Amino acid sequence: MLSKNLSDEMNNQIKFELYSAYLYLAMSAHFEEANWGGFAKWLAKQAQEEQEHALKFFGYIHDRGGKVTLQAIETPPSTFGKPVEIFEEVLKHEKSVTARINLLYSIAVKDNDYASQEFLNWFVKEQVEEEKNATMVLEWLKMAGDSVNALFQINGMLASRG
Ligand code: MG
């Protein structure tokens, strides 16, 4: 059985993951409108992964006999700055996700809940990847500066995300 504290925070995490999906989908819409299909596709894929993360928590809470209570999801922003600013926001958001996962892990450790630690290990590794990928795109955008040519190249590379 999950502790009350861990169960509550895992329920909050479902909301948090779904908000992440909403945020990335809003960013994706912004790029679609501006005809930057590669950036839009990368962020739409990211949004899809966040929904899968939410469902992992949804499944795990049930596996442990807990109760899922869904909460309202905040409205994401609808206006955005330049690509480099958007990816600064993506990296900042991923760091806040990492902090959330670390919080959950610290509760699981305090609870001596080994099953939850094992479950959360996947997310610990996933966050290393997420921060790495967001940093990579951000670094490319910083290098590109105001070069439309370079932006087109980055857009093309991001379009290839499976
Ligand atoms: Mg996530």
Side-chain angles (χ1 to χ4, degrees), residues 17 20 49-50 53 94 97 127 130:
E17 298 288 349
S20 303
E49 283 189 7
E50 302 307 343
H53 297 167
E94 283 305 327
V97 175
Q127 281 314 114
E130 299 280 36

Side-chain angles (χ1 to χ4, degrees), residues 25-38:
L25 209 51
M27 290 171 171
S28 179
H30 166 82
F31 280 114
E32 281 288 356
E33 284 159 22
N35 294 309
W36 289 108

Side-chain angles (χ1 to χ4, degrees), residues 13 16-17 20 24 46 49-51 53-54 57 94 97 101 122-123 126-127 130:
Q13 192 65 23
F16 201 80
E17 298 288 349
S20 303
Y24 295 146
Q46 192 71 23
E49 283 189 7
E50 302 307 343
Q51 293 173 67
H53 297 167
F57 281 100
E94 283 305 327
V97 175
I101 297 298
W122 186 88
F123 286 92
E126 175 69 7
Q127 281 314 114
E130 299 280 36

